[in-house]
Amino acid sequence: MTDAPTDVQSTGPAATFVFDGDCGFCAWSADWLAHLTDRPDHHGSRPLSVVSSHDVDFADLGIDPTLIQRHALYFEPRPVGAVFLARGSVAIGYALRDHAASRVWRGVGVVLLNPLVAAPASIAYRLVAANRPRLAPLRKLADAALGAPPRRRG
């Protein structure tokens, strides 16, 4: 299975990043992503909605609900009723490239989507996803060093 983007049917109104709502590490990471992509004027791009898998109707979107157990998901509407769907590290890359508040984080998104980096990033993402229950101590260290991530709004 690849993390390559695909098209699925939907009528969703905005770009959306979905994380596994049953995963504390995923929620913590999503809080940081929401913070990094929070920009008041969005510089001409659409805002990114960062939501829990509990708030998404996968059947309505035509997305296999089991995907969220292995991948974060990024989707955005397309003009003809289909949505663009990316998974895993590619989803993070698109979220940062297209929605980050700073040029630095948009650059990180560009790098994650570079074909030379995409394969190793996918491997790293899968390692993290497979070991996310073991990452709670790292969250605590990061919170101590950086402060807790701001909580998502809405």
Side-chain angles (χ1 to χ4, degrees):
M1 177 109 162
T2 178
D3 293 338
T6 57
D7 284 334
V8 294
Q9 297 297 319
S10 176
T11 57
T16 304
F17 185 91
V18 184
F19 65 93
D20 183 351
D22 294 326
C23 168
F25 177 78
C26 303
W28 177 83
S29 299
D31 285 341
W32 275 111
L33 180 66
H35 174 69
L36 295 173
T37 59
D38 185 24
R39 27 182 197 166
D41 62 357
H42 298 284
H43 303 287
S45 70
R46 289 175 298 161
L48 178 67
S49 176
V50 178
V51 298
S52 164
S53 59
H54 298 294
D55 299 325
V56 176
D57 184 350
F58 291 103
D60 184 47
L61 294 168
I63 298 173
D64 177 3
T66 63
L67 283 177
I68 200 65
Q69 295 167 358
R70 299 180 311 275
H71 308 283
L73 304 174
Y74 171 90
F75 59 89
E76 60 184 39
R78 294 293 192 221
V80 190
V83 296
F84 172 81
L85 173 67
R87 301 177 287 251
S89 61
V90 175
I92 295 167
Y94 278 106
L96 289 173
R97 184 194 74 181
D98 295 345
H99 305 281
S102 77
R103 288 183 183 172
V104 170
W105 287 108
R106 288 192 301 269
V108 169
V110 168
V111 170
L112 282 173
L113 296 174
N114 181 301
L116 296 174
V117 176
S122 178
I123 292 167
Y125 180 91
R126 289 174 190 197
L127 284 171
V128 168
N131 293 290
R132 57 192 188 180
R134 296 182 186 114
L135 296 175
L138 292 179
R139 284 182 16 215
K140 292 175 185 172
L141 286 174
D143 285 350
L146 304 171
R151 295 289 176 225
R152 290 178 312 285
R153 292 180 300 216

